[in-house]
Amino acid sequence: MNGSAWLAQLARLGADLLFPPQCSGCGRIGALFCPQCAQSVEGTPATVCSHCGRMQPAAVPLCTLCQQEIDPPLTLTRAAALYTEPLRSAVHALKYEGQRELAEPLARYLVASFRRPPVDGTYVQL
Ligand SMILES: [Zn+2]
Ligand SMILES: [Zn+2]
């Protein structure tokens, strides 16, 4: 670790001591998004439209809305998780309250979603 990185880490540690991070999901002190909240994030179900990712009663290649699209602007969309608490509060804090430090813990859900194979093993090409 070079000198400036060490100083930056020391400054961050000092700031954390003066203003300890608070969980955006439950308000606990100690982390911006605590392990309990991180574990309670609800993943998306497997029964989604393989194109748009909207939840369906069963997995389908194309939902009725996608079947009606003549020239869809996107090839594939997926939600990283359900937009429920505590994720909802964390996303709100990131987007509207300027808590950019939440980008890293929340990005983990995006990465996990990206690595997950599509519903039926193949992507639908429109
Ligand atoms: Zn929490
Ligand atoms: Zn669809």
Side-chain angles (χ1 to χ4, degrees):
M1 184 179 303
N2 65 32
S4 63
W6 186 82
L7 282 175
Q9 190 170 6
L10 186 63
R12 200 173 307 120
L13 186 66
D16 283 353
L17 286 172
L18 291 173
F19 308 103
Q22 185 174 15
C23 178
S24 60
C26 67
R28 285 188 186 104
I29 300 294
L32 289 171
F33 198 56
C34 77
Q36 290 86 354
C37 285
Q39 284 213 320
S40 65
V41 170
E42 299 178 73
T44 53
T47 55
V48 296
C49 168
S50 67
H51 177 67
C52 70
R54 288 184 183 101
M55 287 191 277
Q56 303 294 312
V60 293
L62 291 173
C63 69
T64 54
L65 291 172
C66 287
Q67 289 172 10
Q68 296 169 5
E69 291 186 45
I70 295 169
D71 189 18
L74 298 173
T75 304
L76 183 107
T77 56
R78 283 292 177 272
L82 294 184
Y83 191 57
T84 57
E85 293 299 337
L87 181 62
R88 183 185 188 118
S89 290
V91 169
H92 192 277
L94 171 68
K95 289 177 73 174
Y96 305 115
E97 297 169 16
Q99 291 190 27
R100 293 183 176 185
E101 303 84 9
L102 280 166
E104 186 177 330
L106 297 183
R108 294 180 189 141
Y109 299 103
L110 296 174
V111 171
S113 177
F114 183 76
R115 289 183 174 159
R116 198 175 310 134
V119 171
D120 63 355
T122 57
Y123 287 104
V124 174
Q125 294 293 318
L126 299 177

